[in-house]
Amino acid sequence: MEFADGETEGETEAGSSPGSEAGSEVEPGTTRPGGRTARVRAAVLRAAGDVLAERGFAHLDLADVARRAEVGKTTVYRRWGTVTGLVTDLLSDMAQQSVPRTETGSLLGDLTANTRLVTRTLADPRQGALFKAVIAAATCDPKAAEALHGFYAVRVEEWAPCVAQAAARGEVPEGTDAHEVVRAASAPLYYRLLTTTLPLDEAAADRAATAATAAARAGAYVRDV
């Protein structure tokens, strides 16, 4: 799993992987937070992520997930209902556990922290395969696409203030679209993941951050008035 500078190994942009502790079948929402309901959810989401990483979206089956998580099938069907409902909750949980934004005092430093975090996530065997599976699902399943868009909306929003701070320091022009800059920084890394066999490493992360910073400083992402 990826981890940002100064963070503990095991953390990724998508957050720490849901725990594998299983609980007994329980009516969702009837126990206190941190009790068996939370343990069941963690176990099911972990199992769902494992299936996505190992076999892809097409082979994600609620009964199989329940078996892997060692919980009752009725619990899984009652709480999540459909495969896309489960994927939606998985991505929501990943977004909530995401590693917080790093502040370095410069736009290049902040974007480099971001791209290195993204790179470590995508280079991780489990997380990279999971994202490939969800991205593939999003191309043909509207609900999967909506869930994926929601995940990235949370992540982009988390990092957007670094661009606003850069504008306040005079590093980039006023009116620079912060969300576009953050997306531009990570876009080359996803392109590399999905279209090449080139390594995802810090060199690739640093180039992506440098390119996005240079474009932002040149005014490439100033919003049209």
Side-chain angles (χ1 to χ4, degrees), residues 31-189:
T31 59
R32 68 188 183 281
R36 281 187 289 179
T37 294
R39 293 197 297 272
V40 166
R41 180 173 182 252
V44 169
L45 295 185
R46 173 73 192 193
D50 287 344
V51 175
L52 283 170
E54 294 167 12
R55 307 183 65 196
F57 181 81
H59 297 283
L60 187 62
D61 175 77
L62 295 186
D64 180 41
V65 169
R67 178 186 60 78
R68 288 177 178 238
E70 299 182 355
V71 303
K73 287 191 296 183
T74 56
T75 295
V76 176
Y77 281 98
R78 185 167 57 238
R79 175 159 185 167
W80 289 278
T82 65
V83 165
T84 50
L86 181 55
V87 170
T88 297
D89 194 27
L90 174 63
L91 289 171
S92 174
D93 182 70
M94 289 163 61
Q96 291 169 5
Q97 295 188 50
S98 297
V99 174
R101 174 171 57 94
T102 298
E103 295 187 30
T104 67
S106 74
L107 180 61
L108 178 58
D110 290 353
L111 291 183
T112 298
N114 175 275
T115 56
R116 288 185 179 184
L117 185 60
V118 171
T119 295
R120 285 192 290 270
T121 294
L122 300 183
D124 178 81
R126 181 180 186 276
Q127 293 289 82
L130 191 157
F131 275 106
K132 280 184 178 180
V134 176
I135 290 169
T139 65
C140 57
D141 187 305
K143 290 185 178 180
E146 183 179 354
L148 186 65
H149 297 162
F151 171 83
Y152 284 112
V154 171
R155 294 309 294 144
V156 171
E157 191 66 36
E158 170 73 21
W159 285 84
C162 75
V163 183
Q165 291 168 356
R169 292 191 298 263
E171 288 189 71
V172 298
E174 290 294 330
T176 295
D177 189 322
H179 297 81
E180 283 298 299
V181 174
V182 175
R183 284 190 285 262
S186 61
L189 304 173

